[in-house]
Amino acid sequence: MSILDKSTKSNALKSLRDKHIFYNLPPEILIEKTLKLNQGLITESGALAVNTGTYTGRSPKDKFIVKDEITKDTIWWGDVNQPLETEVFENLYRKVISYLENKDVYIRDSYVCASNEYRLNLKIVTETPWQNLFANNLFLRPTKPELENFVPDWEIIVASGFYANPEIDGTRQSNFTIINFKRKKILIGGSAYTGEIKKSVFTILNFILPKERKVLPMHCSANSSAKKDTAIFFGLSGTGKTTLSADPERELIGDDEHGWDDTKIFNFEGGCYAKCVNLTQEKEPQIFNAIKKGTLLENVEFYPGTNKVDYSNTSITENTRAAYPLHFINNAIVPSIGDIPKNIFFLTCDAFGILPPISKLTPGQAMYHFISGYTAKVAGTEAGINEPQATFSACFGEPFLPLHPTEYAEILGNKIKEHNVKVWLINTGWSGGEYIVGERIKLSYTRAMISSVLEGKLENAEYNEDDYFGLAIPSSCPNVPTEILDPRNTWIDKYRYDAIAENLASMFKTNFKKYSEFANAEILKGGPSIKSHSL
């Protein structure tokens, strides 16, 4: 009988047989155990700080999906979704369970999807108490009555201290994340980075919800006003998704993962996993103030001789993180459900300084840019990335897409047209040159542009079409200098702008070739259309 077969009710803790099993411990006990094990320390603000070790970001090349009768003809196989044979999974599963048998393990019952009709119950088994705290903070927390008759739909087993032998176990290297849709299990080993837990759950929802429930899963943040005008923000890590959705003037629905059905959007999670690099109370007060007792901080450094976090110190990684329950944000909506969005923002951090700070997209352009998912990847978000670089990530979350990106894009396009949703491309990156010579667009300007959209101030604005992407650029925007709206105007060397703009447009087209076979005519028409430009 394995640890997962034993009773996981709280009275099991009284059994000598189950002395190593700690079930649904409250945060304060998990923190206490972490401190006793010398696995973390308390910061000046009261948060628990830990170091995740070798891996401070996800390792996408070490994520696998078991190939069986459920997945063989449905998964988008390739670099993103790597197949693993059932026998390989079962052998590793037995080894991991054997490894955990005589260790302390921490079991937590959680669930995802704030809308009850899509609820998915999770049993999460971790090797460290602080990983269990992460699960408590990030996922939705059942009530005491719900725990009495809790039946998990999926199990997630995290053995961060178990290292595979690639030659014997069939993995690429010693760490691994394996998803088994038939067995409804996720197996994680060799890495203590908690983002692997979070994103493996997102991956299974990206398969289940569109296929079985016709729901669009989205890598986005979302907020709403008192008038219930929901806005959603797509974007990869570092583009401002969490920052821009944490607006003190609006209510937060969620910061990272949502579903969109016929009548509403809903948060998948019960917490936030915010980036902390260069965090200040002045720039991001809601996130800063959420880092308190009960919050888990990962891979941060301190001012010498103190327990005060130095958020500008990236000596461990730029991917420093804070995991906290959603209710730590004082204006969060509970339950985290919102109306159909009126505005969608695609956030991109353009390292080349070419895309405009704000532009309006047609439905075809929205689907094209959604599939493209262009941004500049921020250092440290993934293992092996040491400096910012331009990248394309389908649907702003390619590593988590088990289906072909066009399937998600067509659902999005249909919803945009059905509900007359406005879609905006927001560049939070550079202006006046590439990231080496240009300047980062001020957060205050980005906030002003988004506020103008939400307040309807750009409804009747004049728009000009750019010459490389066909984007509609407003000629003016309240509280934003007019001269920065057309990015070409911000460059001293116009010839260089044109050369780089044409190159970026060509990069979009080259990247899109791998999707074009399955893309409809409207999507294909939404891509760059380079016009001649005379100085």
Side-chain angles (χ1 to χ4, degrees), residues 220-262:
C220 69
S221 57
N223 63 26
S224 182
S225 73
K227 295 179 181 179
K228 306 301 180 185
D229 61 327
T230 299
I232 58 179
F233 302 78
F234 285 96
L236 295 181
S237 177
T239 58
K241 183 161 50 70
T242 300
T243 300
L244 293 168
S245 61
D247 185 339
E249 302 301 318
R250 295 172 64 84
E251 295 179 314
L252 181 68
I253 299 171
D255 85 319
D256 197 46
E257 301 171 6
H258 296 80
W260 182 353
D261 68 9
D262 292 335

Side-chain angles (χ1 to χ4, degrees), residues 210-226:
K211 281 293 184 186
E212 298 179 8
R213 310 301 294 272
K214 305 303 180 185
V215 171
L216 175 65
M218 304 178 292
H219 186 210
C220 69
S221 57
N223 63 26
S224 182
S225 73

Side-chain angles (χ1 to χ4, degrees), residues 490-507:
T490 66
W491 284 58
I492 296 174
D493 187 343
K494 301 294 192 291
Y495 288 104
R496 182 162 177 77
Y497 173 86
D498 291 334
I500 294 178
E502 187 167 344
N503 182 59
L504 181 59
S506 297
M507 288 171 62

